[in-house]
C-alpha cells in the first residue's frame, strides 16, 4: 500500500518534532550547566537558568517541536505519529555525543538502530488517514458506542487511581502516577487530533470554530494536559527519571494506539499482515527504547570498552499531547 500525501505530511511533521524536541534537551542542559557555574544549580532549587539564553533557546526549540507534533496529528493517524516520538532519543544521542560528551555503550547504538528499524516498518505500513470534512464527523466518531465505553472506562479507572490508590500507593508504586498520565494521555491525543483537524479545515477556508464541538475538544485538551502535567511531575519528583520515561512511553503509546483504533478505526482498511507488521515495528521501537535506557549509564564505566555515542534523554512532557 502506497503512502498517502497526508501521511507524508504527518511523517515530515512528526520527524521534525522529534528533531526539535530531541535537540531541546541538549540545548537546555547546556544552558543549565552554564547557569550552574554562575549561581545555584536548578537541582538545588536555583533559578539562575532563567537568565541563561541557551536555556531559552532550548525552550523555544521544544515549543516548536510540540507545535509540529500537534500539527502531525491533523494529517496522519496516531499509530504513525505517536511511536515516532522515540526518534527524539536518537537525535539526543547524536547531539550529546558532540556537545555534552556523554558516552553511550555499544548496546545503546543497537537501541538506536532498533528504533529506526521499527519506525521505518510502521511508516511503510501505516494506514491512510480517512478524509474528514468537518469537526462534526470527528464528533460522530467520538460519540459512537465503542469509544464512549472506552472513555467511561478511562474516567472510572483514573478516578479510582486518584482517589483510592494515589493516597495509599502513590509514593511507592510508580504505575499509579504513570497510569493516570497514560490513560488521560490517550484521550488527550484523540482530542488534539480533533482540534488539529479543525484548524487544518479552518485554514483551508472552512471555519470549524463556529461549532461547539471544536470548543469542547479544546477544553478537554487543556483539562487533560493540566491533569497529566500534575501527575507526571509527581512521578518525576518521586521516582528515577530513567525508569519513569520508558515506562510512560510504553503505556502512553500503547493506550493511544488502542484509543485511535477504536475511535478512528485505523485498522479497518488493513489486512492481518499489515497490522502484524505495524505491531512488530512498535515492539521493535519499544525494545530499542528499553535497551537505550537499560544501558545508558554503561558508557560512563571505565571498565567497558569503546562507548561510541552519547547518552540520550527521552521526551517526557511531550507525550502529553501525543
Amino acid at each position: 500500500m502506497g503512502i498517502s500525501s497526508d501521511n507524508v505530511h504527518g511523517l515530515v511533521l512528526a520527524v521534525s518534532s522529534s528533531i526539535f524536541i530531541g535537540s531541546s534537551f541538549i540545548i537546555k542542559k547546556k544552558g543549565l550547566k552554564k547557569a550552574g557555574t554562575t549561581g545555584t544549580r536548578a537541582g538545588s532549587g536555583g533559578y539562575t537558568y532563567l537568565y541563561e539564553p541557551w536555556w531559552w533557546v532550548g525552550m523555544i526549540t521544544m515549543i516548536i517541536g510540540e507545535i509540529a507534533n500537534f500539527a502531525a496529528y491533523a494529517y496522519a493517524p496516531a499509530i504513525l505519529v505517536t511511536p515516532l516520538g522515540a526518534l527524539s532519543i536518537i537525535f539526543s544521542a547524536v547531539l550529546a555525543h558532540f556537545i555534552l560528551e556523554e558516552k553511550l555503550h555499544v548496546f545503546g547504538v543497537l537501541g538506536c538502530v532498533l528504533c529506526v528499524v521499527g519506525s521505518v516498518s510502521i511508516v511503510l505500513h501505516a494506514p491512510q488517514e480517512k478524509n474528514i470534512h468537518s469537526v462534526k464527523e470527528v464528533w460522530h466518531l467520538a460519540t459512537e458506542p465503542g469509544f464512549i465505553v472506552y472513555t467511561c472506562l478511562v474516567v472510572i479507572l483514573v478516578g479510582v487511581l486518584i482517589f483510592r490508590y494515589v493516597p495509599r500507593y502513590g509514593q511507592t508504586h510508580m504505575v499509579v502516577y504513570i497510569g493516570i498520565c497514560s490513560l488521560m494521555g490517550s484521550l488527550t491525543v484523540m482530542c488534539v487530533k480533533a482540534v488539529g483537524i479543525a484548524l487544518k479545515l479552518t485554514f483551508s477556508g472552512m471555519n470549524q470554530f463556529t461549532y461547539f464541538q471544536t470548543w469542547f475538544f479544546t477544553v478537554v485538551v487543556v483539562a487533560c494536559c493540566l491533569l497529566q502535567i500534575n501527575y507526571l511531575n509527581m512521578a518525576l519528583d518521586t521516582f528515577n527519571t530513567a525508569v519513569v520515561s520508558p515506562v510512560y512511553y510504553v503505556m502512553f503509546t500503547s493506550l493511544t494506539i488502542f484509543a485511535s483504533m477504536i475511535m478512528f478505526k485505523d485498522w479497518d482498511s488493513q489486512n492481518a499482515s499489515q497490522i502484524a507488521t505495524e505491531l512488530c515495528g512498535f515492539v521493535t521501537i519499544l525494545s530499542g527504547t528499553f535497551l537505550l535506557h537499560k544501558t545508558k549509564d554503561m558508557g560512563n564505566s571505565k571498565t567497558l570498552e569503546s562507548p561510541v555515542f552519547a547518552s540520550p534523554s527521552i521526551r517526557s512532557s511531550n507525550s502529553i499531547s501525543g
Side-chain angles (χ1 to χ4, degrees):
M1 182 176 64
I3 302 177
S4 67
S5 60
D6 276 355
N7 274 14
V8 171
H9 292 150
L11 170 63
V12 171
L13 287 167
V15 173
S16 299
S17 170
S18 292
I19 293 174
F20 280 111
I21 292 175
S23 302
S24 72
F25 283 107
I26 307 304
I27 298 172
K28 285 198 297 182
K29 187 164 184 177
K30 187 176 179 65
L32 289 170
K33 283 188 172 182
K34 292 186 66 176
T37 61
T38 58
T40 306
R41 296 182 58 182
S44 301
Y47 295 96
T48 53
Y49 61 85
L50 294 175
Y51 301 98
E52 176 54 51
W54 277 109
W55 186 84
W56 284 107
V57 171
M59 279 300 297
I60 293 171
T61 304
M62 176 170 282
I63 291 171
I64 294 173
E66 292 294 351
I67 292 173
N69 190 58
F70 183 96
Y73 282 109
Y75 290 95
I79 194 173
L80 170 61
V81 177
T82 306
L84 291 181
L87 293 180
S88 62
I89 304 170
I90 299 174
F91 296 115
S92 293
V94 174
L95 289 177
H97 170 65
F98 292 106
I99 297 175
L100 301 178
E101 298 183 356
E102 296 179 353
K103 306 302 179 181
L104 180 67
H105 191 258
V106 65
F107 287 117
V109 180
L110 177 59
C112 289
V113 172
L114 288 173
C115 287
V116 172
V117 171
S119 298
V120 171
S121 177
I122 288 178
V123 168
L124 293 178
H125 297 87
Q128 295 188 11
E129 183 78 329
K130 296 178 180 178
N131 290 323
I132 296 179
H133 305 287
S134 170
V135 74
K136 288 185 175 181
E137 293 182 34
V138 183
W139 179 262
H140 175 71
L141 294 172
T143 53
E144 288 187 348
F147 192 71
I148 289 179
V149 170
Y150 175 78
T151 302
C152 290
L153 287 174
V154 167
V155 172
I156 292 171
L157 286 173
V158 169
V160 171
L161 287 172
I162 290 175
F163 296 108
R164 180 175 177 83
Y165 288 98
V166 166
R168 298 183 180 182
Y169 306 109
Q171 296 295 311
T172 56
H173 294 72
M174 179 182 60
V175 72
V176 175
Y177 292 145
I178 299 302
I180 295 171
C181 295
S182 301
L183 287 165
M184 294 306 298
S186 66
L187 296 182
T188 303
V189 169
M190 297 304 101
C191 292
V192 162
K193 189 169 180 64
V195 175
I197 291 172
L199 287 170
K200 182 178 73 170
L201 293 173
T202 298
F203 290 145
S204 67
M206 296 178 287
N207 187 7
Q208 300 297 302
F209 285 87
T210 58
Y211 304 122
F212 85 89
Q213 290 92 338
T214 302
W215 295 105
F216 176 84
F217 286 129
T218 302
V219 170
V220 173
V221 167
V222 174
C224 289
C225 283
L226 291 175
L227 186 66
Q228 285 176 256
I229 290 171
N230 179 56
Y231 285 99
L232 184 57
N233 284 337
M234 293 173 71
L236 291 172
D237 188 53
T238 308
F239 304 99
N240 191 326
T241 303
V243 179
V244 171
S245 294
V247 172
Y248 177 58
Y249 174 78
V250 171
M251 291 184 65
F252 167 74
T253 305
S254 301
L255 287 169
T256 297
I257 291 175
F258 184 65
S260 181
M261 181 188 67
I262 296 174
M263 180 171 171
F264 290 97
K265 302 175 178 62
D266 293 330
W267 287 341
D268 281 5
S269 61
Q270 295 190 294
N271 57 42
S273 176
Q274 292 170 324
I275 295 173
T277 303
E278 290 167 13
L279 290 175
C280 288
F282 178 51
V283 172
T284 303
I285 292 177
L286 296 183
S287 301
T289 302
F290 173 80
L291 192 59
L292 276 166
H293 281 270
K294 195 69 176 177
T295 62
K296 79 181 191 70
D297 293 325
M298 286 186 177
N300 296 325
S301 174
K302 295 182 180 180
T303 61
L304 297 173
E305 298 180 357
S306 301
V308 292
F309 279 112
S311 176
S313 301
I314 191 171
R315 66 196 278 190
S316 59
S317 61
N318 77 26
S319 38
I320 292 175
S321 61

